[in-house]
Amino acid sequence: MEIIHVSAECYPVAKAGGLGDVVGALPKYLNEAGHIAKVVMPMYRTKFLNDNDWEVVHKGYTNLGSYWFTYTIIKERTNILGFDLYLVDIFGLLDRTMIYGYEDDAQRFTSFQIAVVDWISSWSHRPDVIHVHDHHAGLIPFMVKYCYRYQHLQNIPTVLTIHNAQYQGWMGWDKSSYIPAWDPWKRGMLDWKEMINPLASGVKCAWKVTTVSHSYLDELRVTANGMEALFEYEKGKCVGILNGIDNIVWDPSTDKYINDHYSVKTVEEGKLKNKKLLCETFDLDINKPLIVFIGRLVGEKGADLLPAAIGDSYYYIGRKMNFLILGSGFPQVEIELEHLKSLSQGDYNFYAGYNESLSHLMYAGSDFILMPSRVEPCGLNQMYAMRYGTVPMVRNTGGLRDTVIDYGEAGGYGIRFNNAIVGDITQSIWRAVELYHDSEKMEEIRKQMMELDFSWESSVKQYIDLYKSL
Ligand code: ADP
Ligand code: GLC
């Protein structure tokens, strides 16, 4: 089968979070399973773009309402990622340094989608499946079905994967002319609550919808940022497929971002060496457990609870642990986390920003990773952490619920708590400190986690079965 993935992110080309990791890995494993999976994404101004070799494969001329533009499709020449990678260059709109966060994101991603469909419609053959990811590509199932000029693509099956339903790409109806002329009787297929809602449209029009864990799919029928009723109505075509992790990129015995490699057999010494480096770099105490947080400092991740939870832990439990936070996001949370640095007694630090290599060192050198997420469709951090022998402390939600079993239960290995509130987080920190001092149990759990299989192989099979069913 030939599958074309359409996404706003793909690691290592451009990544803001887990979407990039998934789109950088799934196609590779689909290819390994004998299929042809390709990726098309916007051409941002990234290091990857400058460092690699490209050829122009297509040039087209199309329009976003009354704005006519030329787009160019370039292809990476060497198959360096293990799949064919295509970038869409639209002068002035996509060729920017950031992925998201511009005022004209609606124009940017709509023109991206138009260029992609335009390009596919110029192919001399048809792909077997168009697989779109999140709202940035959510209008494509509609376009393929209902835009007059793409009628010849109508029979191509489309799959939408929802990585995060919090973001839906809402646009006012004043922007309806952006979408190439479409059957006006199908207005309802774009609309959700009097807005053009690309994610809702994708759910309505895609042949199949997947979410990145089973529990998240169940939760969406109850809480989906206003789209609950739609998920209830469309449940027949929705299926949860848990993400995998790329075991080649995320392997403590070969990881290119760390110097001290280790395996299950050498986990104790290996982690200690990495912890030493972290503690020296960030002025932390190597004799205390190291609890880290890596991620976007936003409400979904429960990041706003961190300052109070850290403060309360020091107050109620004592200065028995280190904290190291890596991330950026809400300015107020950054300010509070920055402020805590001035109160550190060699047991707290915060790195504001995005740093891929530091994140790898943190998975390797920390003892625990804290994820007090309010919403977590899948979560990759906990799976990376476990592969590196780091114990996840997670809220019982979404993909965290599907991947972490509390060590108090039979066969368990992580720490789970029910509510995204300061009290529950503080209690989980207390449990982490207790566990850390039971060195035998700690070693047993580390080894157990490192042997768990979160590889893509089984998830890829489920995607292949899904494609075949279409
Ligand atoms: P989400 O996609 O919702 O942000 P995931 O757990 O699926 O959450 O994936 C997050 C990915 O982004 C992981 O690969 C994580 O290591 C990475 N990441 C998040 N924040 C940072 C950061 N500040 N620096 C480096 N990597 C980060
Ligand atoms: C989203 C979700 C995250 C998930 C990732 C990859 O960003 O927030 O939970 O792991 O997508 O699917």
Side-chain angles (χ1 to χ4, degrees):
M1 281 182 291
E2 179 177 350
I3 305 108
I4 177 123
H5 289 266
V6 189
S7 171
E9 296 179 35
C10 173
Y11 176 82
V13 191
K15 160 176 165 183
L19 169 63
D21 286 342
V22 170
V23 178
L26 170 60
K28 186 164 71 182
Y29 290 96
L30 284 168
N31 279 345
E32 278 178 16
H35 299 281
I36 303 168
K38 306 173 169 181
V39 172
V40 57
M41 64 182 294
M43 191 200 85
Y44 312 108
R45 291 255 156 251
T46 61
K47 185 168 178 306
F48 189 91
L49 177 69
N50 296 329
D51 291 353
N52 289 279
D53 218 9
W54 305 89
E55 63 182 305
V56 172
V57 293
H58 181 76
K59 264 184 183 295
Y61 188 58
T62 186
N63 65 308
L64 178 77
S66 57
Y67 175 68
W68 284 83
F69 63 89
T70 302
Y71 69 91
T72 309
I73 309 284
I74 58 172
K75 177 173 181 256
E76 193 277 320
R77 276 180 200 273
T78 63
N79 204 270
I80 193 172
L81 301 183
F83 50 82
D84 286 343
L85 170 71
Y86 299 88
L87 306 184
V88 181
D89 179 19
I90 304 178
F91 178 72
L93 274 179
L94 299 178
D95 55 340
R96 303 192 192 157
T97 50
M98 291 193 310
I99 303 175
Y100 318 110
Y102 298 99
E103 269 184 12
D104 57 352
D105 277 356
Q107 286 92 317
R108 297 174 70 230
F109 288 109
T110 310
S111 51
F112 162 64
Q113 295 175 79
I114 294 169
V116 168
V117 180
D118 225 73
W119 169 54
I120 294 174
S121 73
S122 76
W123 293 10
S124 54
H125 69 289
R126 304 269 169 266
D128 293 299
V129 179
I130 303 179
H131 188 153
V132 303
H133 296 265
D134 274 352
H135 76 82
H136 323 97
L139 290 171
I140 289 179
F142 175 89
M143 289 187 195
V144 167
K145 258 186 174 161
Y146 302 120
C147 289
Y148 296 126
R149 71 187 189 207
Y150 304 129
Q151 288 299 282
H152 53 295
L153 304 180
Q154 219 173 26
N155 294 327
I156 305 177
T158 49
V159 174
L160 164 71
T161 292
I162 300 181
H163 298 260
N164 197 332
Q166 293 300 108
Y167 308 96
Q168 300 169 8
W170 312 269
M171 289 191 261
W173 270 102
D174 57 319
K175 299 202 168 53
S176 63
S177 66
Y178 284 179
I179 303 164
W182 42 276
D183 177 353
W185 288 99
K186 301 298 176 196
R187 187 182 191 276
M189 291 300 190
L190 288 171
D191 185 82
W192 189 251
K193 301 190 175 171
E194 300 303 321
M195 300 277 280
I196 296 178
N197 183 320
L199 191 72
S201 171
V203 173
K204 292 177 187 189
C205 299
W207 293 29
K208 282 277 181 190
V209 176
T210 72
T211 59
V212 288
S213 70
H214 298 96
S215 288
Y216 187 53
L217 180 55
D218 295 339
E219 288 169 12
L220 284 175
R221 302 215 287 272
V222 183
T223 164
N225 207 2
M227 275 174 51
E228 300 77 12
L230 183 59
F231 284 109
E232 179 59 36
Y233 183 75
E234 295 285 13
K235 63 184 172 204
K237 66 165 151 173
C238 297
V239 45
I241 302 180
L242 187 72
N243 285 333
I245 59 172
D246 192 334
N247 276 344
I248 298 167
V249 176
W250 298 93
D251 181 350
S253 63
T254 53
D255 190 321
K256 66 177 183 182
Y257 293 108
I258 61 173
N259 294 327
D260 294 302
H261 293 126
Y262 59 94
S263 63
V264 184
K265 284 195 184 123
T266 55
V267 56
E268 295 298 311
E269 310 93 89
K271 284 190 77 68
L272 194 62
K273 285 185 192 155
N274 286 290
K275 183 174 178 182
K276 188 162 180 277
L277 178 58
L278 273 178
C279 289
E280 282 166 7
T281 315
F282 290 98
D283 186 24
L284 301 169
D285 184 345
I286 191 157
N287 297 312
K288 294 176 182 169
L290 174 54
I291 301 173
V292 300
F293 174 96
I294 302 169
R296 297 178 289 120
L297 300 177
V298 296
E300 271 169 65
K301 301 283 176 195
D304 50 305
L305 303 168
L306 291 174
I310 292 169
D312 276 14
S313 298
Y314 284 142
Y315 185 79
Y316 291 112
I317 306 169
R319 303 204 78 109
K320 293 186 183 164
M321 68 310 262
N322 300 287
F323 292 101
L324 179 60
I325 316 284
L326 164 63
S328 60
F330 284 160
Q332 185 55 35
V333 178
E334 287 191 23
I335 290 168
E336 288 176 35
L337 291 172
E338 194 64 37
H339 170 69
L340 279 176
K341 276 160 82 169
S342 62
L343 307 174
S344 169
Q345 297 177 14
D347 52 11
Y348 171 85
N349 218 324
F350 167 48
Y351 181 105
Y354 187 93
N355 188 324
E356 189 75 29
S357 66
L358 175 57
S359 74
H360 285 244
L361 180 61
M362 286 169 69
Y363 291 114
S366 58
D367 300 300
F368 298 91
I369 186 163
L370 177 59
M371 300 180 72
S373 306
R374 291 192 175 88
V375 182
E376 198 61 84
C378 176
L380 300 174
N381 292 15
Q382 80 280 11
M383 296 196 265
Y384 296 148
M386 290 191 270
R387 181 139 167 84
Y388 285 68
T390 298
V391 181
M393 303 159 63
V394 303
R395 181 174 166 242
N396 198 3
T397 187
L400 300 175
R401 180 204 297 266
D402 294 353
T403 52
V404 178
I405 305 173
D406 191 276
Y407 81 92
E409 287 173 34
Y413 39 82
I415 295 179
R416 248 163 65 161
F417 50 94
N418 282 329
N419 304 298
I421 55 172
V422 172
D424 276 22
I425 301 173
T426 313
Q427 200 205 13
S428 78
I429 292 171
W430 176 78
R431 291 186 69 206
V433 174
E434 292 284 298
L435 176 59
Y436 179 80
H437 290 294
D438 184 347
S439 45
E440 230 170 82
K441 182 78 184 160
M442 193 71 187
E443 185 175 346
E444 180 194 317
I445 286 181
R446 277 185 175 142
K447 293 194 165 152
Q448 185 186 350
M449 290 186 309
M450 287 180 76
E451 304 277 22
L452 295 172
D453 181 10
F454 291 113
S455 62
W456 267 107
E457 273 77 13
S458 96
S459 310
V460 156
K461 280 197 198 103
Q462 296 174 59
Y463 277 112
I464 293 171
D465 288 345
L466 181 92
Y467 298 147
K468 282 188 180 157
S469 75
L470 302 177

